[in-house]
Amino acid sequence: MTAPGLPVFSLLETRVLGVLVEKQHTVPDTYPLTLNALAAGCNQKTSRDPIINASESEVQAAIDRLKALTLIVETSGGRVQRYAHNIERVLQVPSQSVALLATLMLRGPLTAGELRICSERLHKFADISAVEAFLHELAERPTGALAVELPRQPGARENRWAHLLCGEPAIAESHAAATSGAGDISLGEIAALKANVARLEAEVGDLRALVAKLCAELGISA
C-alpha cells in the first residue's frame, strides 16, 4: 500500500516524476521541463523499464493530476509552461531518498548495488550500505512505506527493491527467469553490460539518423 494520504499512482504518473528528478540533475540548464521535453523523457528508450510510448495529451493528464497533489509545480514565463517536481516537500524525504525513488520509478525493481550505480548521476552514495540505509528508512517510515524489499529470486545473490507509489509490485516471472542463471555474474559485470547496451543503443540511433540523412541527400530509399 502507498503511504497514508497518497493515492495509488499510475505507471505514467511515476514515470513523469522520475523524469523530472532525473533531468533536474542531468540537464539542469533546461529544467524545469516543457511538456515536449517531459514526454520525450517518459518515452526514452534507454535507462527505462518498461519502455512506454505516451502521447503528450496523456503526459499532460498525468501532470494535471500530480499538480493537484502539489507533487508538480508549474512555472510561468516565456512562451511555454514548464514543470518541476516537489517530491521532497510533499513526501517529506531527503534528496538521497528522492534519487533512489526516481531510479526505481524509471528502471523498475533493482538491487541496492544496482541502485547505487544507476542513481550515481542523481546522488553519489559512498557505498552500498549507505544505499541500504536510505532504502530501509523508506520501507520503515512511520507515516507509511514508500519502498519494499522483494523476495529473493531463484539463483539471485541479492534482493531487489521496488517503490510502492503504484501499490504493491507484482513479481514478474519473466524477470525471475532472466535472472535465475545470473548467480555467477558479479554486480560489476552486470552494470558494465547494462552500460554497454545503453551506449550501443545510442550509437545505433545515431547511425540510423546518419543513414537516413545520406539517403535523403542522395535521393535513394533507405
Side-chain angles (χ1 to χ4, degrees), residues 5 17 20 22 34 77 79 85 115 133 136 162 177 207 211:
L17 289 174
L20 287 173
E22 178 189 61
T34 63
R79 293 177 296 176
H85 75 85
L115 270 169
H136 284 292
L207 287 171
V211 169

Side-chain angles (χ1 to χ4, degrees), residues 21 23 94 132 218 222:
V21 175
K23 302 306 182 185
E132 291 174 335
L218 297 172

Side-chain angles (χ1 to χ4, degrees), residues 21-160:
V21 175
E22 178 189 61
K23 302 306 182 185
Q24 177 187 22
H25 294 275
T26 59
V27 285
D29 291 343
T30 60
Y31 183 84
L33 300 183
T34 63
L35 173 61
N36 180 267
L38 191 44
C42 289
N43 297 332
Q44 192 173 304
K45 297 298 186 290
T46 57
S47 304
R48 302 288 184 267
D49 187 13
I51 293 172
I52 64 174
N53 186 25
S55 66
E56 286 195 1
S57 61
E58 290 172 329
V59 174
Q60 184 65 65
I63 291 171
D64 291 341
R65 184 166 186 244
L66 293 167
K67 279 172 53 183
L69 297 167
T70 67
L71 279 161
I72 284 182
V73 293
E74 182 178 321
T75 60
S76 342
R79 293 177 296 176
V80 294
Q81 299 297 324
R82 291 180 176 271
Y83 304 97
H85 75 85
N86 192 30
I87 297 178
E88 287 180 50
R89 180 173 296 179
V90 175
L91 300 185
Q92 297 183 338
V93 292
S95 59
Q96 296 95 323
S97 297
V98 172
L100 295 176
L101 286 171
T103 304
L104 291 173
M105 286 189 270
L106 294 175
R107 295 174 178 261
L110 296 169
T111 66
E114 290 169 335
L115 270 169
R116 184 191 175 201
I117 294 169
C118 295
S119 66
E120 188 174 19
R121 293 191 301 169
L122 310 184
H123 180 83
K124 290 184 180 294
F125 291 92
D127 48 37
I128 293 178
S129 62
V131 174
E132 291 174 335
F134 281 102
L135 286 171
H136 284 292
E137 281 187 9
L138 287 170
E140 298 165 5
R141 283 167 26 111
T143 55
L146 293 174
V148 63
E149 188 172 13
L150 302 176
R152 186 169 302 183
Q153 300 288 357
R157 291 182 176 181
E158 302 174 65
N159 289 358
R160 295 178 301 145

Side-chain angles (χ1 to χ4, degrees), residues 146-186:
L146 293 174
V148 63
E149 188 172 13
L150 302 176
R152 186 169 302 183
Q153 300 288 357
R157 291 182 176 181
E158 302 174 65
N159 289 358
R160 295 178 301 145
W161 287 79
H163 71 81
L164 288 172
L165 293 173
C166 293
E168 290 291 338
I171 302 173
E173 293 181 3
S174 58
H175 188 95
T179 58
S180 62
D184 295 330
I185 302 176
S186 71

